[in-house]
Amino acid sequence: MSKKNQPALPTINLKGDDFIHTVPENLRLEVIIHWKGQGFQPEHINPVHAFSVQDGKFKVINRNLLDTCYTFDIKELKNVYLLPMDEV
């Protein structure tokens, strides 16, 4: 595979099987969502508690807002990146 075809950042597979993943407490991760089309700014959600792909939706729970689940239609998403957060 050439470098041109390799993603520069780790992406979450939105086209695979449904899954749920909980982030271990010792990891601080951030999700960055890039939208299809023009005019959308990337969406940043951090720190991530859990994320999933279920029934055509991408879902994220912020560790600071455990009672809120951010839900996005996969058809509207171009890429979703999962990155470590910088320590403050």
Side-chain angles (χ1 to χ4, degrees):
M1 180 183 275
S2 71
K3 284 187 177 183
K4 183 177 181 179
N5 294 333
Q6 294 177 352
L9 300 172
T11 59
I12 296 173
N13 182 2
L14 302 174
K15 296 179 182 178
D17 294 334
D18 288 359
F19 67 87
I20 299 172
H21 182 73
T22 302
V23 177
E25 288 294 323
N26 64 329
L27 292 178
R28 291 179 39 90
L29 299 177
E30 172 177 44
V31 166
I32 302 173
I33 298 170
H34 285 231
W35 305 94
K36 287 183 181 174
Q38 301 295 323
F40 290 107
Q41 294 294 324
E43 181 86 25
H44 296 255
I45 301 173
N46 61 60
V48 174
H49 171 70
F51 58 94
S52 67
V53 170
Q54 294 177 314
D55 300 324
K57 305 285 185 195
F58 177 68
K59 301 177 181 184
V60 182
I61 298 174
N62 182 306
R63 193 170 279 165
N64 297 330
L65 301 167
L66 294 176
D67 60 343
T68 304
C69 181
Y70 298 92
T71 304
F72 306 94
D73 189 340
I74 289 177
K75 294 177 188 174
E76 297 175 4
L77 306 180
K78 183 176 181 180
N79 287 312
V80 177
Y81 301 99
L82 183 63
L83 301 171
M85 292 179 56
D86 293 333
E87 294 300 321
V88 187

